[in-house]
Amino acid sequence: AMTVESTLERTLSEHQALFKQLVDSSPDAIMRHDATLRCVYANATLVFVSGQPLDTIVGALPQELPFVFDAKAYAERLHNVLRLGTASGFEMEWGLPDGTVRWCQVRLVPERDAAGRVVGVMSVCHDITAHKELQTKLERAEQLPKIGFWELDLASNKARMSDHACRLMGRLPGWSPTTEELLAIHSEEEGQRIRKLYEAAIRQRDS
C-alpha cells in the first residue's frame, strides 16, 4: 500500500511540476484565485508584464492589484464563476508601469477539488492590444466614406457635391445646386457664415 501511495504521490508531484513548467512558459498572463478571490499563483509572464514583484501579487485581492483597472467588475466575474461553476470570457484593460494601457482577452475557468467542488478560479489573460488597435483603424477607415463634402465653383456659381453628401441631403448623386439652393439647406446661422465666406471669395476673385 505504501508503494502504491508513494507512486501516486510521485506521479502527482511530477504532474504538478509539469503543469507549473507549462504555465510559467506560457505567453499568456495567468493567475489563480482561491475561494476568497485572493491570488494564490501568478506565472512568470504576469510578473514580467505587470512589472510588479511576485510577493505583491500573490496574496492580493483584485482591488489590491494595481494593473487591474476595474477591480470591482473583475471581482464580480470571479464570484460568478465560483458560484455557477462555469467558465467566463471577457475583455479587460490593464495598466502597465510605464503608463501604457493594454487590452486583454480574459478567460476565467473554475478549479475543482477531488469531490468536484469549485474551490478557485484560473484567470488566463491574452494580450489583444494589437488586434484592438487594428480594429480601431478599420473602424476609422469605414467612417471616412460616410463623410460628405461639397465645394463651390465661383466661376459657375454651382456647388459640386460628393455622392454621400447628396445622399445626406436627400438628393440623387450628381446633384449640383446653385449657391442659393446650397445655402437653403443649411441652418440660418450656418448659411450666413457660408454666405460671408462666399462673398469674401467673390471680392477676392474680382479684385
Side-chain angles (χ1 to χ4, degrees), residues 10-166:
R10 186 171 64 252
T11 301
L12 178 61
S13 178
E14 289 174 352
H15 284 172
Q16 288 175 336
L18 178 60
F19 172 81
K20 186 178 186 304
Q21 181 181 349
L22 290 172
V23 172
D24 268 338
S25 61
S26 171
D28 293 333
I30 298 175
M31 285 186 291
R32 295 172 65 197
H33 299 271
D34 64 15
T36 69
L37 305 191
R38 289 192 180 278
C39 177
V40 294
Y41 169 83
N43 74 340
T45 301
L46 176 63
V47 173
F48 174 76
V49 172
S50 69
Q52 303 294 319
L54 179 62
D55 58 3
T56 66
I57 299 174
V58 173
L61 291 167
Q63 63 268 27
E64 297 168 340
L65 297 170
F67 48 85
V68 178
F69 277 3
D70 194 346
K72 182 179 179 182
Y74 182 61
E76 287 176 356
R77 291 179 182 275
L78 289 172
H79 271 304
N80 286 337
V81 174
L82 286 167
R83 181 171 56 87
L84 301 174
T86 55
S88 171
F90 58 97
E91 294 179 358
M92 182 175 71
E93 285 182 299
W94 275 34
L96 301 188
D98 61 3
T100 59
V101 175
R102 309 293 293 180
W103 275 96
C104 295
Q105 176 68 47
V106 183
R107 181 74 174 168
L108 301 180
V109 182
E111 293 189 322
R112 302 177 185 273
D113 62 14
R117 294 184 295 265
V118 178
V119 294
V121 181
M122 177 179 288
S123 175
V124 181
C125 306
H126 179 66
D127 193 321
I128 57 168
T129 305
H131 171 73
K132 277 286 189 180
E133 290 174 348
L134 177 59
Q135 187 179 48
T136 300
K137 289 179 181 178
L138 290 174
E139 288 174 353
R140 287 175 180 169
E142 287 177 354
Q143 290 300 319
L144 289 178
K146 298 178 182 178
I147 300 174
F149 69 89
W150 58 265
E151 59 183 8
L152 198 56
D153 186 340
L154 299 181
S156 64
N157 192 34
K158 288 279 189 178
R160 186 175 71 83
M161 320 286 290
S162 70
D163 287 350
H164 191 65
C166 290

